[in-house]
Amino acid sequence: MEFEKLQEIIADVLNVNADEITMETKFVDDLGADSLDIFQIIMGIEEAFDIEIDNDDAEKIVTVGDAVEQIKNATN
């Protein structure tokens, strides 16, 4: 569930096809996201899942899988 919702957020922010996003997809290298894009994605995650990701944890997010782990950690 987290992954599908995250795909929608990423696709919306970066204007990419959600089907192209996998757990291994890297935000910067594969999707061309810049720091503002990543900030918008994190804000979208926080809003969609009603969680808060602190800056130290946000800096560790490189792949979509990393973001899913952050969501799971914050919701448990």
Side-chain angles (χ1 to χ4, degrees):
M1 182 190 105
E2 290 96 354
F3 177 66
E4 290 82 9
K5 194 178 261 189
L6 184 56
Q7 276 181 309
E8 292 174 23
I9 294 167
I10 296 166
D12 185 48
V13 171
L14 298 178
N15 293 320
V16 296
N17 187 338
D19 295 335
E20 298 172 8
I21 300 167
T22 67
M23 292 288 280
E24 293 79 32
T25 302
K26 294 181 179 175
F27 288 102
V28 176
D29 296 343
D30 297 331
L31 299 175
D34 61 22
S35 57
L36 180 59
D37 294 328
I38 292 170
F39 175 76
Q40 288 179 308
I41 291 166
I42 290 171
M43 294 296 291
I45 292 169
E46 290 179 334
E47 187 176 313
F49 293 96
D50 194 28
I51 60 173
E52 192 168 318
I53 299 173
D54 71 43
N55 292 338
D56 290 340
D57 290 334
E59 290 175 11
K60 297 175 190 168
I61 297 174
V62 176
T63 67
V64 173
D66 294 339
V68 170
E69 282 302 309
Q70 288 293 331
I71 293 165
K72 287 182 179 178
N73 290 341
T75 55
N76 290 338

